[in-house]
Amino acid sequence: QVQFVESGGGLVQPGGSLKLSCAASRIIFSIYTMSWYRQAPGNQRELVATITSGGVTNYADSVKGRFTISRDNVKSTTYLQMNSLKPEDTAVYYCRAQRTNFDSWGQGTQVTVSS
């Protein structure tokens, strides 16, 4: 069964930066589409960014130009670099691995943007 270890969350001031990591094990990481989602209290979980096995990326309009998703297939890890953070970016961030007939989520990491 796939396992994820998410890290990098924390408390940051508005305008600051954080880099999230999601390390996967027990899967052939390179063939999966990897995504980051987030869920704020009282809100539905929403897609933040996606990177395909071929490296094609896609972003939510709210984070375009501020966030960057990447992957390192050797380390079986996907990253989310978050710059110019805003209070509305506060949420639990989850990584997700997808492929035909496969869908698995990480446990989530809290990001809080506050002064």
Side-chain angles (χ1 to χ4, degrees):
Q1 185 173 352
V2 63
Q3 292 184 334
F4 297 104
V5 177
E6 295 183 26
S7 61
L11 174 64
V12 63
Q13 292 186 342
S17 298
L18 283 174
K19 187 174 183 177
L20 305 183
S21 300
C22 173
S25 60
R26 303 182 182 179
I27 59 171
I28 304 173
F29 180 81
S30 61
I31 66 175
Y32 290 86
T33 291
M34 297 300 299
S35 301
W36 286 95
Y37 284 72
R38 67 186 180 187
Q39 187 168 18
N43 290 357
Q44 291 187 335
R45 193 171 295 189
E46 63 176 359
L47 176 65
V48 175
T50 296
I51 185 166
T52 69
S53 58
V56 177
T57 59
N58 187 49
Y59 297 92
D61 288 343
S62 59
V63 307
K64 281 181 181 176
R66 300 189 298 123
F67 291 11
T68 302
I69 189 171
S70 61
R71 65 190 299 157
D72 183 334
N73 290 335
V74 174
K75 295 182 178 180
S76 297
T77 300
T78 188
Y79 304 97
L80 186 68
Q81 177 68 48
M82 305 185 294
N83 299 328
S84 302
L85 282 161
K86 305 175 181 180
E88 51 263 43
D89 294 318
T90 296
V92 178
Y93 284 71
Y94 300 88
C95 64
R96 182 185 189 186
Q98 292 174 278
R99 184 171 167 79
T100 303
N101 297 321
F102 181 90
D103 190 355
S104 187
W105 294 81
Q107 80 283 358
T109 185
Q110 176 70 46
V111 172
T112 302
V113 185
S114 175
S115 55

